Amino acid sequence: MSGNIQLLNDTLAGAKAADRAALIAYLPAGFPTVDGGIEAVKAAFAGGADVVEVGLPHSDPVLDGPVIQTADDIALKGGVKIADVMRTVREAYEATGKPVLVMTYWNPIDRYGVERFTAELAEAGGAGCILPDLPVQESAGWCEHAEKHGLATVFVVAPSSRDERLAKITAVGTGFVYAASLMGVTGTRDSVGEQARNLVERTRATTELPVCVGLGVSDATQAAEVAGFSDGVIVGSAFVKRILDAPDAAAGIEAVRELAGELAEGVRKR
């Protein structure tokens, strides 16, 4: 089975045709449990997310702030494995027919085997992978297998990326470009700021790929602000925090659905 890069491309193009940004949710696999994580992804889609990134929990998540680190710790203590990540992708895709990506650091893939990982992700119906710490100059092996299996390769750009570097990254990436709007780690912010807008403009000058902004959006107002200058709004920590703050598992799932609904409304108000 080939991966679902075309579904991802069509979804992002559909949002653009509707004159709105796409809503992309991030949720870690295995959090709060494997089954609970699958239900959370389904709830995000039910609330209005266009795309969901499933995080592969890692013991040293350099890009992630304290909220996602807490969720990763819970998932790892629960014994989450790559097989559980693949199951999360499969069940979420089969239940919704919508694009599901995996976001992961490079080390787990390297240990698991690139061919094995890409083949299993495609077989599960995955649309691709976001690889925040894989240098473009070292990505040829990954990109070859991803292309063979019909998977998108999404790279992360940051405000510190020079224009020449942006062009190199966007020339190799597929699906969309993940613009990390603030220097530092993930987490909700009070204001998204001009830095994100500037990064989107500089990135767009190098590529036709959609540019989606993550790191910092936590409510509908911020989603609307970011939707005004980007092709997609990526929200992670705010979803995870809703689950962490919920009194029980069912309330956590409902909170995810509610937040997705609020954010989906926000991206339509740009």
Side-chain angles (χ1 to χ4, degrees):
M1 178 176 173
S2 184
N4 271 315
I5 185 173
Q6 194 57 51
L7 176 62
L8 175 66
N9 293 343
D10 290 348
T11 298
L12 294 172
K16 185 176 184 179
D19 194 30
R20 66 172 180 88
L23 174 60
I24 303 176
Y26 167 93
L27 288 155
F31 169 74
T33 61
V34 175
D35 288 346
I38 292 167
E39 291 309 310
V41 174
K42 292 180 189 175
F45 277 130
D50 298 289
V51 179
V52 172
E53 305 170 5
V54 172
L56 194 161
H58 194 258
S59 55
D60 185 26
V62 291
L63 186 74
D64 297 312
V67 172
I68 291 174
Q69 283 185 19
T70 299
D72 278 4
D73 285 346
I74 290 167
L76 290 166
K77 282 172 183 163
V80 70
K81 302 279 192 296
I82 288 179
D84 299 313
V85 178
M86 298 299 178
R87 183 185 149 211
T88 301
V89 171
R90 175 182 287 104
E91 293 196 15
Y93 168 64
E94 288 178 350
T96 66
K98 294 183 178 176
V100 185
L101 298 101
V102 168
M103 185 167 188
T104 178
Y105 296 98
W106 180 245
N107 190 40
I109 294 178
D110 198 33
R111 287 200 313 243
Y112 198 71
V114 175
E115 169 59 25
R116 181 184 176 196
F117 190 94
T118 50
E120 288 183 9
L121 182 56
E123 195 275 327
C129 222
I130 300 158
L131 300 161
D133 66 340
L134 176 63
V136 169
Q137 62 270 24
E138 296 171 21
S139 68
W142 163 268
C143 290
E144 179 188 337
H145 288 294
E147 186 177 358
K148 180 171 87 171
H149 290 293
L151 298 168
T153 299
V154 178
F155 289 108
V156 178
V157 298
S160 58
S161 305
R162 296 178 183 275
D163 291 351
E164 182 187 357
R165 173 94 179 132
L166 287 176
K168 285 180 179 172
I169 292 170
T170 58
V172 177
T174 54
F176 64 92
V177 182
Y178 186 127
S181 66
L182 297 133
M183 297 300 290
V185 299
T186 60
T188 57
R189 300 292 199 282
D190 290 336
S191 173
V192 178
E194 284 302 302
Q195 210 173 36
R197 186 187 298 268
N198 177 259
L199 177 58
V200 170
E201 287 172 2
R202 290 171 52 226
T203 305
R204 276 190 175 146
T206 71
T207 184
E208 294 295 311
L209 287 172
V211 182
C212 303
V213 173
L215 309 196
V217 175
S218 59
D219 59 34
T221 303
Q222 289 176 344
E225 180 190 343
V226 174
F229 59 81
S230 72
D231 300 298
V233 180
I234 303 169
V235 182
S237 294
F239 280 112
V240 172
K241 192 169 187 307
R242 291 282 180 107
I243 296 173
L244 288 170
D245 291 347
D248 56 53
I253 299 304
E254 180 57 24
V256 166
R257 192 190 62 75
E258 284 178 5
L259 179 59
E262 293 162 17
L263 294 167
E265 213 170 289
V267 300
R268 286 163 172 78
K269 287 181 177 171
R270 68 179 189 177

